[in-house]
């Protein structure tokens, strides 16, 4: 089935914009299997830094001419970094709404950047692990993102990029307040570190509320994958530091690392307990997810995320072969709205997308083996 | 209700009450339904309590509303800050420091930066400041016909520029 395709082209688009987007999104580095980790529980780790040039007003208060000066100066400096050899740069003006949304869904730009006014852009490293946004809320929002749990390594890479860039750009810095940012909540280090964690057992056993409260007390923030807060978001949570001033970068990273390690262990424990106490309930959930994904005709992105998350849990528990993790990860990325539009080359509306999504998942999972759990028959008392 | 809690942002009766603990201190924000919706409280991704705390603290500050502080560099006013919760330029941090410092304790682990320092930028800045000062001294020396001093300043300027090209 074909839906309407738009011919609208954004202004300022260069002849090769479409090709550059395609190269980026279709490179093995940019696709789902390398963004999301191959292990259980921690899908990806991310560190971002906020920086500003000392000679200009912050983005939100800068005039259009100043914004374009900032964009030119920052983009030039970023492209000259050894870490950004063969990087791709885009201005937001040259991208269509769908292309911007694709980059948001790949975690390469923020929603805020995608909605920004003229004079904003992004430089994305060839392997998609480093992306540097210009004229987001701050002049520079830089991130390094890697699959799995490697917070310290990600910080090391981010720190090196920042130090290299600092040789070329005059950052706004105050000896008492640190790096100056548009919003005082990012002041000091400008550092936000986060991990995306898959915590289905903690959700099923109803422990997440307690954990969210405990994390808040520690000055950490918990969010859903793309903002959705509950079970509907596939039990995928983003956990990050809230405070940026009054601690060294290493202390922030260390603190978050320790907390994430604890949560990792709690999720493992919760899984073990579930397997011991209610294996049938757990296998039933996974089996139902499998059945729905292979047969449903309409799937919203939230539902698809939820079901794929259960499939991932099934792989973690040995119910599906390990080599199916790559396709499961890839589908987590590809079942998002703009990716569905791109795959089908349409401007499908949400209702049409639900149909196309179900079709994509049915096809992709047609030869996915049936779940087989080795834990054997459950004890009679829990088989009601 | 005899004395309803007022919205921290607009003063209407509040129906949404938020609590967050930062640094073992409890922070509460009360909002009316409209402000809660406008601030995206229902959307966890777009919502930061810290953001609201800034605005709440400013509104409760009370007196310094009309004709408050203005940043001499970029013209950003205290009213602007109250509206958007962001500053206009790096120099705003000097201008608004008196109203900012009391807020930082509730927002962060500590009031002072103890992390990374951009050494190159600071070096460049101190070179720039030194050069500016020397050039002023040189001008003054020439004007007051202290030619020996002027020659010394000129040599020093040349030395700095040679040591740090691009300065």
């Amino acid at each position: 089935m074909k839906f309407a395709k738009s011919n609208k082209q954004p202004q300022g688009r260069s002849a090769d914009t479409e090709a550059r987007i395609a190269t980026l999104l279709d490179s093995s580095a940019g696709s789902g299997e390398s963004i999301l980790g191959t292990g259980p529980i921690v899908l990806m780790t991310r560190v971002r830094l906020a920086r500003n040039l000392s000679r200009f007003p912050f983005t939100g208060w800068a005039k259009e001419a100043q914004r374009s000066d900032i964009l030119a100066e920052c983009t030039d400096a970023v492209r000259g970094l050894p870490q950004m050899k063969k990087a791709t740069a885009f201005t937001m003006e040259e991208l269509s709404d769908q292309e911007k949304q694709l980059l948001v869904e790949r975690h390469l730009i923020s929603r805020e950047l995608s909605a920004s006014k003229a004079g904003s852009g992004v430089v994305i490293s060839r392997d998609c692990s480093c992306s540097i946004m210009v004229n987001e809320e701050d002049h520079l929002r830089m991130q390094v993102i890697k699959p799995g749990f490697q917070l310290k390594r990600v910080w090391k890479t981010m720190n090196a990029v920042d130090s290299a860039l600092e040789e070329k750009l005059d950052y706004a810095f105050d000896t008492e307040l640190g790096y100056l940012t548009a919003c005082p909540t990012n002041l000091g280090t400008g550092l936000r570190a986060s991990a995306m964690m898959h915590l289905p057992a903690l959700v099923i056993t109803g422990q997440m509320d307690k954990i969210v409260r405990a994390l808040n007390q520690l000055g950490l923030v918990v969010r859903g994958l793309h903002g959705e807060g509950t079970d509907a978001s596939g039990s995928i949570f983003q956990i990050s530091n809230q405070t940026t001033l009054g601690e060294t970068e290493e202390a922030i990273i260390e603190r978050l690392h320790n907390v994430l390690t604890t949560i990792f262990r709690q999720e493992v424990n919760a899984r073990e307990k579930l397997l011991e106490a209610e294996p049938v309930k757990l296998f039933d959930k996974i089996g139902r997810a499998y059945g729905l994904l292979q047969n449903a005709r309409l799937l919203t992105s939230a539902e698809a995320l939820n079901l794929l998350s259960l499939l991932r849990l099934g792989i973690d528990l040995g119910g599906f072969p390990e080599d199916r993790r790559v396709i499961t990860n890839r589908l987590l990325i590809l079942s998002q709205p703009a990716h569905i539009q791109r795959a089908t080359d349409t401007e499908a509306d949400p209702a049409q997308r639900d149909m196309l999504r179900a079709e994509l998942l049915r096809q992709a999972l047609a030869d996915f083996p049936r779940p087989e759990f080795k834990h054997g028959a459950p004890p009679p008392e829990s088989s009601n | 209700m005899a004395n309803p809690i007022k919205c921290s942002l607009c003063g209407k009766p509040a129906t949404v009450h938020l609590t967050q603990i930062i640094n073992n201190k409890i922070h509460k924000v009360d909002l009316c339904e409209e402000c809660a919706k406008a601030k995206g409280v229902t959307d966890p991704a777009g919502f930061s309590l810290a953001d609201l705390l800034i605005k709440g603290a400013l509104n409760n500050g009370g007196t310094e509303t009309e004709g408050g502080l203005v940043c001499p560099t970029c013209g950003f006013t205290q009213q602007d800050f109250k509206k958007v919760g962001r500053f206009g330029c790096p120099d705003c941090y000097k201008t608004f420091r008196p109203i900012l410092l009391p807020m930082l304790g509730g927002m962060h682990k500590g009031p002072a930066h103890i992390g990374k320092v951009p050494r190159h930028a600071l070096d460049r800045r101190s070179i720039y400041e030194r050069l500016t000062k020397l050039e002023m001294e040189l001008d003054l020396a020439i004007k007051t016909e202290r030619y020996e001093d002027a020659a010394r300043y000129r040599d020093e300027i040349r030395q700095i520029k040679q040591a740090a090209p691009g300065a």
Side-chain angles (χ1 to χ4, degrees), chain B residues 53-62 65 78 81-82 85 99 103:
Chain B
L53 286 171
I54 299 173
K55 292 170 201 169
L58 279 173
N59 281 335
N60 295 336
T65 45
Q78 199 169 332
F81 182 50
K82 204 165 157 181
I99 58 164
M103 283 190 246

Side-chain angles (χ1 to χ4, degrees), chain B residues 18-83:
Chain B
L18 300 156
T19 308
Q20 188 166 1
I21 301 163
I22 305 173
N23 275 345
N24 296 321
K25 276 180 239 153
I26 297 175
H27 297 274
K28 286 190 175 167
V29 173
D30 305 293
L31 299 171
C32 69
E33 210 159 314
E34 273 169 43
C35 289
K37 213 171 167 187
K39 295 297 159 198
V41 170
T42 46
D43 169 18
F47 164 64
S48 153
L49 184 62
D51 243 32
L52 290 171
L53 286 171
I54 299 173
K55 292 170 201 169
L58 279 173
N59 281 335
N60 295 336
T63 51
E64 286 188 80
T65 45
E66 293 301 319
L69 301 165
V70 181
C71 175
T73 309
C74 73
F76 201 76
T77 67
Q78 199 169 332
Q79 289 290 318
D80 290 323
F81 182 50
K82 204 165 157 181
K83 225 186 295 169

